[in-house]
Each structure stands twice: as C-alpha cells, then as structure tokens.
Amino acid sequence: MAKLIFLPAFFAGICLLPFTSAFAQQITDPASPYTLKAGGGLVYGTEIENAGLQLNGYYRLPANEQIFVGGDLTYFFPDSESFPGGSSSQRLLAININGQYHFYQENEIGAYGMGGLNYAMLRFSSEFDDIGDEFDVSETESEIGLNIGAGVEYELDFGLIYGEIKFVISDFDQLVIGAGVRLPFDM
C-alpha cells in the first residue's frame, strides 16, 4: 500500500523539478563558500524499530549549484531478543546514493528534497541451546530500493545541523528519521 502512495509522488516530483529551478535560483544562495559537506548523526527506522548511526557526504555540482550528490552509510543497532532455549538478533546495514535539490535558502536555514537508491542488508541470527548442544542459525537478505524524502539544514559558525525524513521503497519499506551535523569543506 505504501508503494502505491509514494511511487506516484516520487515521479510527480521528478516531473515538476524543471519548473522549480527558476524559482529556486531566485531564493537560493549559489555563492555559498563550500563544495563538500560531510558528517554524521543518529537515525531511527520505523520498520526495524531501532536507532542507528549514519555517516554521510555530499558534493555540490559545479553545473547546478542547487544540486548535491553523495550518499550515506547507515548502521542500525542490533535488535536482540532472548527466549527459552536461546536468543535471536537482527542487524540492518543500508548504503544510500542520493541527490539533494536545495530549493530554499533564507539566512541560515535551507531546505532540500532528496531521492536516490538504497541497498539494504538484513542479517538474522539465532542461537539455540538444545539440552547441552549449542548451534547457530543465520541468514542474510539484501534488497535494492528507492529513497525519497526531504531535509532542512541550519548553518552555524562551525558547520551545518541537519534533519531529514525519507521513505525507503523496497521489500524493507520503512520511514527513516535522522538528525546530525555536517562540516562544510571548500575544494
């Protein structure tokens, strides 16, 4: 059901992108002093129902100064559960390649839309203690999907504080909410 809602919205946004560039050029600050921003923060995934750590980096395209390309690596903390005779855990690692389109900049606050590809690896493992004999069972699944979302950045003296919300469209559908700090670099 979620795919039926978000997929048309994603494609509608892509179709409207050329019409927003004239508006974006009027209100963004293309003279921003940095071409690279990198950092990290905390995230929460609604399907895995766990927090995680994210490292990210983005490069401003010289041809269009409202567009950044880059990606992130997100590791969700393991979710462990004990039961009589054993325990189980699951771990999720996501690699994202995203584009950011900065459509608003007013003083220190900026907003952007984002979209891209998601590669997620989910590992299930269980340990059983069956009357003195211990054995482990593990399985890894991977899935490729799409990201669509939005974010805001607030510029400080030392860097940027950001907040993002994105929906991952794949067999591992989930809403990911994150916040953190990025440091700007001039190249």
Side-chain angles (χ1 to χ4, degrees):
M1 178 66 179
K3 289 181 187 178
L4 295 176
I5 294 170
F6 286 101
L7 214 47
F10 175 74
F11 289 117
I14 295 296
C15 292
L16 292 174
L17 193 60
F19 300 108
T20 61
S21 65
F23 175 71
Q25 289 173 356
Q26 293 174 1
I27 60 174
T28 56
D29 181 16
S32 185
Y34 60 88
T35 56
L36 179 70
K37 54 185 178 179
L42 296 174
V43 296
Y44 179 79
T46 59
E47 186 64 29
I48 195 164
E49 297 180 346
N50 225 347
L53 294 175
Q54 181 186 77
L55 298 175
N56 57 57
Y58 288 91
Y59 174 75
R60 180 191 302 263
L61 293 181
N64 187 336
E65 296 185 346
Q66 282 80 34
I67 298 177
F68 282 80
V69 294
D72 61 69
L73 175 69
T74 305
Y75 175 74
F76 290 91
F77 298 125
D79 186 19
S80 299
E81 185 177 313
S82 295
F83 52 86
S87 63
S88 67
S89 67
Q90 64 179 2
R91 293 182 172 97
L92 179 63
L93 177 70
I95 301 169
N96 299 291
I97 300 172
N98 294 319
Q100 294 179 343
Y101 184 74
H102 290 251
F103 59 86
Y104 178 79
Q105 181 72 41
E106 185 70 33
N107 297 327
E108 296 88 19
I109 298 175
Y112 56 89
M114 62 187 295
L117 295 174
N118 169 273
Y119 176 74
M121 294 179 296
L122 183 63
R123 180 178 172 90
F124 298 100
S125 60
S126 298
E127 296 179 6
F128 298 96
D129 184 15
D130 187 23
I131 311 172
D133 294 331
E134 291 186 19
F135 62 95
D136 299 335
V137 176
S138 64
E139 180 182 340
T140 302
E141 296 179 24
S142 60
E143 184 67 33
I144 295 176
L146 297 174
N147 293 318
I148 183 167
V152 295
E153 290 179 331
Y154 183 77
E155 193 169 334
L156 298 173
D157 291 338
F158 67 90
L160 305 162
I161 295 176
Y162 72 93
E164 290 181 345
I165 185 168
K166 67 181 173 184
F167 189 76
V168 179
I169 303 168
S170 73
D171 281 350
F172 300 149
D173 284 349
Q174 73 173 338
L175 187 66
V176 179
I177 303 164
V181 176
R182 292 185 181 122
L183 301 175
F185 301 98
D186 190 21
M187 294 179 57

